[in-house]
Amino acid sequence: MTQKDITFVADFLTEHFNEAPELYNRKGKYFNVERVGQYLKDEDDDLVSPPNTEGNQWFNFLKNSTHLKESPLLFPYYPEKSLHFVKRQMERVIDQCLQKPADVIGKSVHQAVCMPLYKTSESEDSTPQLFKLPFLWNDKTSNIHYVLFTILENSISKIYILRRHTDTSRSVSNGILAVEFGNFLNSISDSSDSRCYSCLDAHFYDDETVTVVLKESVEQEGKERVLAQLPLS
């Protein structure tokens, strides 16, 4: 250690660990704790060295405001407490705020339709993740909700489009369909090789267009990537 390091540590000890007779009646050790660390302790005890709020513009503003001083919209300030204490208080308030909407929304949700997509083995350990890449899109003009996804198994070259009317009492034609890419690029390629493409990612570009990223399914270096935009029509 350099002399500068030693001086820095000595100054730190001198500033924060002097004996403090006014703390003798408190539990714990008889010296001031480091000012930052006291805020991070997960305890409900008061801070040993609370901050000095004198001259704070926000506190002065609240103190002089008749309407804001008692406002229930402002989160109360606990100058004597650590951040852990304040965090728990805030979590409790947020939980109370969210409980009612959760109850109301939960009671209003019901199953509109059941559509089996695939079967898996009964053993949970050997069940692979087959459902991939779900992307949601809501067409507000037609009031139709779309879900794009792929199923990883025998249909790696397909992307599925599920659509439902936002009014669950109404149905739409072709509720679910699959688009298979396969070797559709062979017609525009000079190569006579049969290339098979699978979907790497897919998102709605707008209400009428889907953007997909395709890749060659062949395991080799320099696999081709294709960015394609497909009209829903």
Side-chain angles (χ1 to χ4, degrees):
M1 296 176 67
T2 65
Q3 186 60 42
K4 185 178 179 181
D5 295 330
I6 297 173
T7 304
F8 177 77
V9 173
D11 289 343
F12 178 85
L13 296 175
T14 303
E15 179 182 354
H16 295 293
F17 292 92
N18 283 335
E19 285 195 7
E22 69 275 10
L23 303 177
Y24 285 176
N25 294 328
R26 304 188 57 150
K27 64 180 183 180
K29 298 179 180 177
Y30 305 138
F31 49 73
N32 290 327
V33 298
E34 196 268 315
R35 289 180 181 273
V36 174
Q38 64 177 346
Y39 289 101
L40 305 178
K41 289 186 176 180
D42 193 3
E43 299 174 355
D44 289 342
D45 294 340
D46 291 349
L47 298 176
V48 176
S49 301
N52 180 14
T53 58
E54 186 178 348
N56 185 293
Q57 293 179 352
W58 174 248
F59 292 124
N60 292 339
F61 171 69
L62 291 183
K63 195 182 300 181
N64 299 326
S65 172
T66 310
H67 301 289
L68 288 178
K69 193 185 301 181
E70 305 298 332
S71 172
L73 300 177
L74 290 179
F75 194 79
Y77 177 60
Y78 304 93
E80 305 287 333
K81 298 296 184 181
S82 73
L83 292 178
H84 280 282
F85 177 87
V86 176
K87 174 175 174 285
R88 282 196 297 272
Q89 294 292 104
M90 184 174 286
E91 286 175 340
R92 182 178 58 80
V93 173
I94 292 175
D95 287 342
Q96 289 177 348
C97 293
L98 296 179
Q99 188 57 48
K100 186 68 175 177
D103 293 340
V104 173
I105 294 172
K107 291 174 182 175
S108 67
V109 172
H110 63 277
Q111 178 177 300
V113 64
C114 179
M115 193 176 298
L117 297 175
Y118 56 82
K119 291 183 178 180
T120 60
S121 61
E122 294 182 1
S123 171
E124 294 184 2
D125 298 336
S126 60
T127 301
Q129 180 191 355
L130 297 179
F131 197 71
K132 189 187 176 189
L133 206 171
F135 177 77
L136 309 180
W137 180 267
N138 183 250
D139 182 351
K140 294 181 175 62
T141 306
S142 306
N143 295 324
I144 294 179
H145 197 66
Y146 290 90
V147 185
L148 290 178
F149 61 93
T150 56
I151 298 178
L152 308 170
E153 206 172 41
N154 340 0
S155 52
I156 191 137
S157 61
K158 293 180 184 176
I159 182 171
Y160 294 83
I161 303 176
L162 169 68
R163 58 181 186 170
R164 297 285 302 171
H165 203 284
T166 52
D167 180 357
T168 55
S169 63
R170 300 177 59 183
S171 61
V172 294
S173 59
N174 294 329
I176 185 170
L177 54 86
V179 179
E180 182 165 14
F181 300 102
N183 54 6
F184 81 111
L185 290 179
N186 284 1
S187 58
I188 61 174
S189 173
D190 295 332
S191 173
S192 59
D193 297 339
S194 178
R195 298 182 178 183
C196 191
Y197 290 85
S198 59
C199 184
L200 199 61
D201 199 1
H203 281 223
F204 267 80
Y205 181 75
D206 55 28
D207 288 342
E208 300 169 352
T209 313
V210 177
T211 300
V212 293
V213 179
L214 305 173
K215 69 170 182 176
E216 276 190 274
S217 301
V218 183
E219 291 294 333
Q220 63 183 22
E221 286 295 325
K223 288 187 292 187
E224 189 174 355
R225 298 288 194 276
V226 178
L227 181 70
Q229 288 199 298
L230 307 177
L232 275 179
S233 58

